Amino acid sequence: MAYLELDRVAKQFGAQTVVDDFSLSVGKGEFISFLGPSGCGKTTTLQMIAGFLDPTRGAIRLEGKDLTAIHPAKRGLGIVFQSYALFPHMTAAENVAFGLKMRNVPRGERAERVRAALAMVGLAGYEDRHPRRMSGGQQQRVALARALVIKPSVLLLDEPLSNLDAKLREEMQIELRQIQRTIGTTTILVTHDQNEAMSLSDRIVVMSQGKIEQIGTPQETYEKPASAFVSQFLGKTNDFPGMIDRVVSPTQLVAGSWRAPAPAGLGGPVTVSVRPERIGFADTGLSAKIVTRIFQGNHWLFQCDSECGPAIVIRQNDGKPQPAEGEAVRLTWRPEDMSVRGGASV
Amino acid sequence: MSMAADERNARAPWALTAPALMLFVGVLLIPLATTVMLSFHDWGQYKGIEPVFILKNWHEIATDPYYAEMFWRTFRVAILTTLLTALLGAPEAYILNRMSGRWKSFFLLVILGPLLISVVARTLGWALLFGGNNGLVNKLLMSLGVMRSPIPFMFTETGMIIALAHVMMPFMVLSVWAALQRLDPQIENAAMSLGAGPTTIIRRIIMPQIMPGVLSGAIIVFSLSASAFATPAIIGGRRLKVAATLAYDEFLNTLNWPLGAAVATLLLVALVLIVVGSNALIERRYAEVFR
Ligand SMILES: Nc1ncnc2c1ncn2[C@@H]1O[C@H](COP(=O)(O)OP(=O)(O)OP(=O)(O)O)[C@@H](O)[C@H]1O
Ligand SMILES: [Mg+2]
């Protein structure tokens, strides 16, 4: 049963449609990421859930109740902004206490909950600091504590980690995931970082130009991308033009000199999409020449020139000798490691 | 050798600032010192200025209640003008800041436009509207039978305060405007998402953050109003004198330069003390917001 439901939500600014036909149902306790390039409407969608923007069309429901009819101040959602939007004239504790004060939580309980919330994000002892005297990561934690202390029904995070440096971001990702698991708050995270989306979420909503491209678990979206956009946006990928040959029997899928039994019910030209780490060197397969070979510590990155266009191959550094630049190789992969798009159904 | 280099390094800042320093000393410090000296000189109707060192002028200012009343009026007018500009200017800047693009630039121009017009012209505008029986507004109201006699505006403190507030308003609006620009654009949404209503947001979130802007605007408006000359001279005339107009009269009408110098010096010292004092207070109080 859906906890939070977006039903064909759309948003227009003037004539420009920024979000269109957005339908999603989020289960209680789920961690969802909105992933997409800049300007694809992630923030707009989040702000419609928060109530700072009204949808042009469609409905948003929380536990079956129409959320758009409720004033943003009464929705009881926790929001962490990209800029944190902390109150600079208040200490960390006062920032966290603000939402509780608005809810008329009695002083004693308030102090206890503020202390617990700050301790949870690892800021015990920072109660009396003002935000401007805190580091970016600490401010981010205060913002998280401020959003969580009101026990929100849904936690909305708008690129909360994008202002942090790479190392701190990774630490905060782990911490965020742990906190979310512990307290079980339904969470929606907006991000344009595919690694962040994959390592944090139960499901990812991949967006492009205001539309949903795919909704699925991190594995699904990575292994079985629904469109070329998804496969390209979620990490590196190789797209080879292929053909399903129905003349021979059994029918075969052919890409250059690589061939395998064809998937049932498809015919004609198709696109074969394979992740670079799933391609191996063998005696048969797509013939290619290695253009550059780059050593990256735990793996090797090969850029090849194949009969089906440029290809990238990633091999684990297992200590065995690797083909050299300029060498002719054959590329192969298991049929279950590729996804096939296009083609006419037969 | 390194010592010579050090010496040269130490001298360089002085050499570089010397031209500005000389200008500063020449046009500000020397006249100022002369004015202070002048306030200790003697003056008589027939003997003119006598370069002696006496406390006659200071004694007169300290004992004659006329001066106490005049200084009290000066600061009362300045304080009330400051309050009026803050009460009107802060909301004005806030509303202006919330307007969308084109309207924002238009109204900003409307507010700043008056700075391009001379203070004298702006004040004379008030005099044209409210000046006695011939003022436009007064004429209109009286011919309509709304009023029997003209609205008392000219030669009143109220009139002086209103006209001064009008002249000073851009400084307050600009100062609050600058403080508003430093606000996080999402801060109101953040407060709203935590359950705060519009009045709470303004009172608990916006006000404390723009307070430094209001206060620095207040310091500017206060010091400009307390030393204002043109507006009090036109609206207050001979009857309602403030420190600046009194000093002017002593210098140019009575020709009692030493007394005028004493009034000017006292005004300056009082203003410097008030401005420096309140500035220090504000900076301490709002250290967190200023950083
Ligand atoms: N108030 C507005 N008026 C007009 N257009 C807007 C408005 N807000 C956003 N847009 C447009 O809507 C589109 C989506 O904006 P949105 O902020 O949702 O993108 P985003 O996915 O969050 O991007 P980013 O990753 O850069 O934050 C953009 O093209 C933007 O120009
Ligand atoms: Mg955004």
Side-chain angles (χ1 to χ4, degrees):
Chain A
M1 145 87 197
Y3 182 65
L4 174 71
E5 196 176 10
L6 284 84
D7 186 9
R8 281 163 292 160
V9 172
K11 178 69 189 174
Q12 272 174 294
F13 289 112
Q16 186 196 5
T17 306
V18 169
V19 174
D20 199 14
D21 204 24
F22 194 105
S23 293
L24 169 72
S25 68
V26 182
K28 195 168 166 69
E30 220 181 344
F31 196 126
I32 299 275
S33 290
F34 291 175
L35 176 64
S38 188
C40 73
K42 308 179 296 284
T43 299
T44 306
T45 310
L46 205 72
Q47 299 230 323
M48 286 192 282
I49 301 174
F52 306 141
L53 290 173
D54 289 323
T56 314
R57 284 187 301 278
I60 304 176
R61 285 183 287 271
L62 182 67
E63 292 184 290
K65 288 193 297 285
D66 182 13
L67 201 58
T68 45
I70 305 172
H71 189 268
K74 299 269 187 290
R75 292 190 187 194
L77 310 178
I79 302 164
V80 176
F81 297 87
Q82 183 169 353
S83 59
Y84 314 140
L86 293 175
F87 309 133
H89 57 295
M90 298 184 189
T91 62
E94 285 166 347
N95 264 282
V96 178
F98 187 80
L100 298 176
K101 266 188 205 155
M102 294 300 115
R103 283 166 175 69
N104 296 316
V105 174
R107 185 183 291 269
E109 185 192 339
R110 201 164 69 206
E112 178 48 35
R113 278 170 71 177
V114 168
R115 199 200 52 74
L118 282 172
M120 180 178 66
V121 296
L123 283 182
Y126 286 86
E127 281 81 1
D128 296 329
R129 281 279 182 102
H130 278 84
R132 295 226 168 100
R133 291 183 193 272
M134 298 179 117
S135 72
Q138 290 168 336
Q139 291 183 28
Q140 206 273 332
R141 286 158 205 257
V142 176
L144 188 61
R146 184 177 71 173
L148 284 174
V149 77
I150 58 169
K151 302 205 173 110
S153 46
V154 180
L155 178 64
L156 305 174
L157 308 162
D158 191 354
E159 310 212 16
L161 308 179
S162 60
N163 287 342
L164 306 180
D165 64 64
K167 192 163 172 297
L168 194 55
R169 193 180 323 160
E170 220 162 276
E171 281 172 25
M172 283 303 298
Q173 280 171 6
I174 296 168
E175 211 163 301
L176 190 60
R177 182 76 235 211
Q178 272 167 356
I179 290 172
Q180 198 269 343
R181 286 257 167 80
T182 326
I183 58 176
T185 308
T186 312
T187 303
I188 296 179
L189 169 83
V190 158
T191 180
H192 57 241
D193 177 346
Q194 37 121 356
N195 290 326
E196 190 169 295
M198 290 213 254
S199 53
L200 285 173
S201 13
D202 296 317
R203 284 193 296 155
I204 298 178
V205 178
V206 187
M207 297 174 64
S208 148
Q209 299 184 348
K211 292 218 175 63
I212 295 181
E213 290 279 335
Q214 187 173 12
I215 303 179
T217 64
Q219 274 112 316
E220 276 167 12
T221 49
Y222 188 78
E223 311 269 351
K224 298 277 172 249
S227 63
F229 175 84
V230 177
S231 74
Q232 247 129 52
F233 196 72
L234 290 175
K236 298 191 182 83
T237 196
N238 295 294
D239 283 334
F240 301 125
M243 182 58 132
I244 292 180
D245 188 354
R246 307 203 67 85
V247 178
V248 294
S249 181
T251 55
Q252 281 205 316
L253 168 57
V254 185
S257 353
W258 183 90
R259 52 187 59 232
L266 271 182
V270 290
T271 303
V272 174
S273 179
V274 200
R275 296 285 175 196
E277 68 274 15
R278 299 295 171 85
I279 298 180
F281 301 119
D283 299 330
T284 58
L286 200 64
S287 43
K289 202 172 101 177
I290 292 179
V291 182
T292 48
R293 185 179 83 162
I294 300 162
F295 179 61
Q296 298 198 317
N298 61 352
H299 66 267
W300 293 88
L301 176 73
F302 300 92
Q303 282 167 331
C304 315
D305 197 4
S306 83
E307 50 187 321
C308 290
I312 354 171
V313 178
I314 292 175
R315 299 305 307 159
Q316 278 301 315
N317 176 13
D318 50 9
K320 301 208 180 94
Q322 300 290 340
E325 285 182 5
E327 206 171 302
V329 288
R330 291 300 195 86
L331 307 180
T332 190
W333 58 90
R334 297 179 303 168
E336 59 265 39
D337 284 336
M338 68 183 176
S339 62
V340 180
R341 289 192 307 271
S345 43
V346 286
Chain B
M1 198 213 117
S2 93
M3 248 177 71
D6 276 356
E7 230 166 75
R8 221 179 28 241
N9 281 346
R11 240 179 294 140
W14 287 102
L16 286 170
T17 47
L21 198 67
M22 265 151 64
L23 187 73
F24 183 71
V25 170
V27 305
L28 189 72
L29 287 188
I30 293 176
L32 209 58
T34 324
T35 308
V36 175
M37 292 286 291
L38 193 61
S39 72
F40 293 102
H41 289 347
D42 194 10
W43 179 84
Q45 194 84 40
Y46 303 107
K47 60 185 179 180
I49 300 169
E50 264 190 278
V52 289
F53 187 90
I54 51 164
L55 289 173
K56 185 180 120 192
N57 302 308
W58 290 99
H59 184 255
E60 192 179 338
I61 290 174
T63 50
D64 190 339
Y66 173 79
Y67 296 98
E69 194 199 317
M70 186 274 310
F71 267 105
W72 172 226
R73 177 185 306 124
T74 307
F75 287 110
R76 186 169 55 224
V77 165
I79 287 170
L80 290 174
T81 303
T82 309
L83 279 180
L84 193 62
T85 49
L87 283 178
L88 296 177
E92 193 172 318
Y94 180 72
I95 293 168
L96 193 69
N97 195 42
R98 293 195 58 141
M99 284 181 172
S100 60
R102 204 158 354 127
W103 287 112
K104 196 176 348 198
S105 15
F106 174 72
F107 278 102
L108 196 62
L109 198 72
V110 168
I111 287 166
L112 300 187
L115 282 181
L116 304 175
I117 304 166
S118 128
V119 182
V120 177
R122 275 181 286 164
T123 309
L124 281 173
W126 285 100
L128 283 178
L129 291 178
F130 291 100
N133 289 328
N134 290 323
L136 274 178
V137 175
N138 282 340
K139 244 192 205 163
L140 185 76
L141 288 179
M142 283 192 295
S143 66
L144 287 174
V146 184
M147 319 262 306
R148 289 286 207 68
S149 54
I151 302 173
F153 184 91
M154 296 303 287
F155 314 117
T156 64
E157 260 182 55
T158 319
M160 214 192 276
I161 290 164
I162 290 175
L164 266 176
H166 169 231
V167 170
M168 300 299 168
M169 195 60 87
F171 298 106
M172 181 59 83
V173 173
L174 272 185
S175 172
V176 178
W177 170 271
L180 280 167
Q181 299 310 303
R182 288 206 301 267
L183 245 68
D184 187 307
Q186 293 286 3
I187 204 112
E188 292 190 37
N189 279 347
M192 188 156 62
S193 76
L194 293 166
T199 43
T200 314
I201 292 177
I202 290 189
R203 207 165 46 85
R204 307 276 305 271
I205 305 296
I206 306 296
M207 287 260 280
Q209 288 190 73
I210 60 168
M211 218 41 187
V214 175
L215 291 175
S216 41
I219 289 182
I220 299 172
V221 171
F222 178 83
S223 44
L224 287 179
S225 308
S227 54
F229 172 75
T231 309
I234 294 169
I235 306 279
R238 279 286 165 88
R239 231 180 297 167
L240 281 181
K241 278 199 194 154
V242 294
T245 50
L246 180 73
Y248 175 86
D249 271 352
E250 291 303 331
F251 270 99
L252 292 184
N253 292 337
T254 326
L255 296 182
N256 186 349
W257 285 28
L259 185 59
V263 170
T265 307
L266 187 56
L267 177 66
L268 177 72
V269 170
L271 268 182
V272 167
L273 286 180
I274 290 171
V275 168
V276 170
S278 43
N279 201 36
L281 271 180
I282 293 167
E283 272 185 18
R284 190 141 41 112
R285 171 70 182 75
Y286 290 95
E288 293 311 328
V289 188
F290 265 127
R291 261 170 58 90

